[in-house]
Amino acid sequence: MNFNSFEFLVFLPIVFVLYWFVFQKREWQNLLIVTASYVFYGWWNWRFLFLIIFTSLCSFYSGVLIELFEGQKRRQRMVCAVNLIVNFLILGVFKYYNFFADSLAQLFWHVFHYQLDWVTLNVILPVGISFYTFQALSYTIDVYRKDVPVTKNIVEFCAFISFFPQLVAGPIERAKNLLPQFQRDRHFDYELAVDGCRQMLWGFFKKVVIADRCAANLNPLWDSYADYSGISLWGLALLFTFQIYCDFSGYSDIAIGCARLFGIRLLSNFNYPYLSRSIPEFWRRWHISLMTWFRDYVYIPLGGGRCAQWKVIRNTFIVFGVSGLWHGANWTFVCWGLYHGTLIVLYKLLHINTKDKDILAAGRLLPSLKDLFRVAVTFGLAVVGWVIFRAEDISQAWDFVSRMFLTAFDDFNFRLGSTNTFIAILLLMIVEYLQRNKVHVLQFPDNRVFRCSSVRYSLYACIGLLMFFYAGEVQTFIYFQF
């Protein structure tokens, strides 16, 4: 079920009313969440429910066995390892089997001129499998490390794994944040719910007004990119840069806002990444839940940054290579990850300042020229990376990027996008800059103007009108394929 579908507009109010006015006890609310989440997920294909239920049961009983084998480290390690292997095998078969089989066959053909007759699988990639698998595995690892206590309530655990707002495209939650919220009583919080509605509205604005319009302009033209000049190719790249940001961060805003309607607080997944002053800062602000997952469960166990420099470089490439592969079964994703890994290594080797954690131009209206330059460079590097991410294969990525820099910069093709699309993008960046110290854009400053309800509702009406006028063909959220 898509957030931007008629079915969801019917589904959400029904679940909300049942949750707060019918099933008021915690146990019944959790059971409703599990049921509603399975309906939400099974709306695409009910067969996928067997996978998420199996993953949930594996991780739940792994935690129980780890507690049962308290003091027997070897057995605990074995239980944790078996659960990891089983879940990674499921993920590998459904997402990567054909990719690696085809890649190995091509390698043998090019090197040995021998055709391997592999058996490929005709399977559909289950929606959100990368997200809920990582969420389930983090619980098992945390229980093994004694970072979280074992839960004995399977309904609470299934609610944690399958909570429908963040089920198919994150944020990837941790047990220590989300699971305790299903283990305590929840009471309706009007202010939290209203703030959630505002965040959902802004998420829908980014999806409908910007992401979908960028996609409508970009998709018909991408395959004919060779017909355009260098500046036009930068225009195409910019369209995808804002499409993927507004699509994915829009989903995260809707998910986080929707969760707040049910008294649940999800972790932030984006923090205005296009205002970053370095690539390392960009990755502290982009898809935060995934990158912190890789940091805690891959980078730090490998030694993190507290080891010899060559090991730090190795760890960085491993994390970004694997994170690229996590996004999809295509070498372009791996190259995109390694591209960013290379940039981060260069930042380290050149001792460029990467410790920026404060807000851009904190306490000032405008950034310094130095910060403005750093933001522009970081943004440009990110744009090049998104071309690699969007390309069909490595040769197309190389050709596209080469043409961006080497072909003439005259004759901008205005068919690349309507003026309204670029105006909406400019409006987005201005508003995000002005609200850069807020959790989300529609978290209003506490002043006399925004305390006036007529001003707030007028703003909501304007956003609604923009969504109405910009609305076109409904586009599926990009990260559903991951």
Side-chain angles (χ1 to χ4, degrees), residues 225-389:
Y225 70 90
D227 297 334
Y228 303 118
S229 64
I231 192 170
S232 296
L233 294 179
W234 276 97
L236 274 176
L238 283 172
L239 286 176
F240 183 68
T241 296
F242 284 99
Q243 178 198 350
I244 193 167
Y245 169 58
C246 291
D247 191 283
F248 191 22
S249 69
Y251 182 95
S252 294
D253 281 334
I254 298 169
I256 294 169
C258 181
R260 291 184 176 190
L261 294 178
F262 299 93
I264 302 294
R265 298 174 185 269
L266 299 180
L267 300 173
S268 177
N269 210 23
F270 288 85
N271 187 18
Y272 311 111
Y274 290 159
L275 298 179
S276 303
R277 288 152 287 187
S278 66
I279 291 296
E281 184 186 6
F282 173 83
W283 280 107
R284 289 194 294 269
R285 296 173 176 271
W286 177 278
H287 203 174
I288 299 168
S289 63
L290 177 68
M291 297 316 296
T292 53
W293 197 100
F294 280 114
R295 179 197 66 196
D296 295 342
Y297 301 116
V298 180
Y299 185 71
I300 292 177
L302 287 173
R306 298 179 180 275
C307 51
Q309 188 175 67
W310 73 269
K311 289 185 177 180
V312 174
I313 294 172
R314 178 203 63 184
N315 299 343
T316 301
F317 278 119
I318 289 174
V319 165
F320 278 91
V322 173
S323 67
L325 187 62
W326 176 92
H327 283 80
N330 195 320
W331 287 112
T332 54
F333 296 125
V334 178
C335 288
W336 169 74
L338 294 177
Y339 164 79
H340 277 280
T342 301
L343 291 176
I344 289 180
V345 167
L346 288 174
Y347 272 88
K348 292 180 182 293
L349 294 177
L350 297 175
H351 303 289
I352 299 174
N353 179 25
T354 61
K355 302 298 183 182
D356 301 294
K357 295 183 180 179
D358 59 322
I359 299 169
L360 177 66
R364 307 194 308 272
L365 177 61
L366 298 175
S368 65
L369 290 177
K370 179 183 177 181
D371 280 346
L372 192 61
F373 174 76
R374 294 175 66 202
V375 169
V377 170
T378 303
F379 181 75
L381 292 172
V383 170
V384 173
W386 289 129
V387 172
I388 302 171
F389 188 96

Side-chain angles (χ1 to χ4, degrees), residues 56-69 76 79-80 83 139-140 143-144 149-152 157:
S56 300
L57 291 176
C58 283
S59 294
F60 175 78
Y61 285 108
S62 293
V64 173
L65 286 174
I66 288 172
E67 184 185 54
L68 181 65
F69 295 138
Q76 288 182 323
V79 170
C80 184
N83 186 53
Y139 167 80
T140 305
V143 168
Y144 174 75
V150 175
T151 178
K152 300 294 183 61
F157 184 80

Side-chain angles (χ1 to χ4, degrees), residues 5-15:
S5 66
F6 175 76
E7 292 85 355
F8 183 74
L9 293 179
V10 175
F11 169 83
L12 182 60
I14 292 174
V15 178

Side-chain angles (χ1 to χ4, degrees), residues 161-172:
I161 297 295
S162 65
F163 187 42
F164 72 88
Q166 48 86 225
L167 172 59
V168 295
I172 301 171

Side-chain angles (χ1 to χ4, degrees), residues 1-3 8 11-12 14-16 18-19 28-46 48-50 52-53 56 127 132 135 155-168 178 182 186 251 255 258-259 262 264 266:
M1 191 181 298
N2 278 316
F3 282 159
F8 183 74
F11 169 83
L12 182 60
I14 292 174
V15 178
F16 179 83
L18 291 175
Y19 184 86
W28 289 105
Q29 287 179 332
N30 290 339
L31 185 59
L32 174 66
I33 287 295
V34 174
T35 305
S37 297
Y38 286 167
V39 170
F40 177 87
Y41 190 71
W43 203 263
W44 281 283
N45 190 325
W46 62 270
F48 293 163
L49 287 173
F50 291 107
I52 191 171
I53 291 172
S56 300
V127 176
Y132 68 72
Q135 188 157 312
V155 174
E156 293 173 351
F157 184 80
C158 288
F160 155 66
I161 297 295
S162 65
F163 187 42
F164 72 88
Q166 48 86 225
L167 172 59
V168 295
L178 185 55
F182 291 115
R186 299 176 291 279
Y251 182 95
C258 181
F262 299 93
I264 302 294
L266 299 180

